[in-house]
Amino acid sequence: MWLWAVLAACLASRVWFAFAVPLCAEDAYITFRYAFHAGHGMGVVYNPGEASWGYTSLLWTTLLAGAARVGLPLETFARVFLTLCDLGTIALVYRKLAPTTRVGAISGVAFFALWPRFAHLPATGLETSLVTFLVAAAVTQSKNRWGAMFAGLLALSRPEGLAMSV
């Protein structure tokens, strides 16, 4: 029951920030532009016909390019997907900690769900919530084959993701 309450609080805090902060962070729009062009067959470029590199996360840009390819609005897709990443992070961390310390598990995930800085991150449109989810997934699934997959995705998530995946 506590987990469901924390998940609901997490969702409410992310939705609140999505409405309170109507635009994503400036850097997110750079990635959105690269993803839009990639999703529409123009290559991973800022301006069609000009080779340049200005995005931070290959994984995030690729996910956004897939959303652009099927016609989803990138700002909305980013915010929803990143909120789902935060909900997944909470579920993974709680599941890992609860058998050892239920109070620690609840307080830890409640902190993550409600601390304003974490709650604001999905509204930015930046890949931080994705990276956080991949760290949690790689750690909590480290003893099975999924852990290696999550560590590999973490390596593609940001330049420092490679070091984190090791």
Side-chain angles (χ1 to χ4, degrees), residues 2-23:
W2 282 104
L3 177 59
W4 290 108
V6 172
L7 288 169
C10 177
L11 181 60
S13 68
R14 273 54 174 181
V15 169
W16 186 88
F17 269 106
F19 285 103
V21 181
L23 299 174

Side-chain angles (χ1 to χ4, degrees), residues 56-64 81 85 92 127-139 141 145-166:
T56 307
S57 174
L58 175 61
L59 179 61
W60 186 229
T61 304
T62 303
L63 286 168
L64 290 168
F81 186 87
C85 286
L92 286 169
E127 68 276 0
T128 311
S129 291
L130 172 61
V131 174
T132 305
F133 171 77
L134 291 172
V135 168
V139 169
Q141 303 301 308
R145 71 178 114 170
W146 295 105
M149 180 196 70
F150 288 124
L153 291 172
L154 179 60
L156 297 173
S157 69
R158 290 197 44 87
E160 65 274 15
L162 177 61
M164 288 188 284
S165 69
V166 171

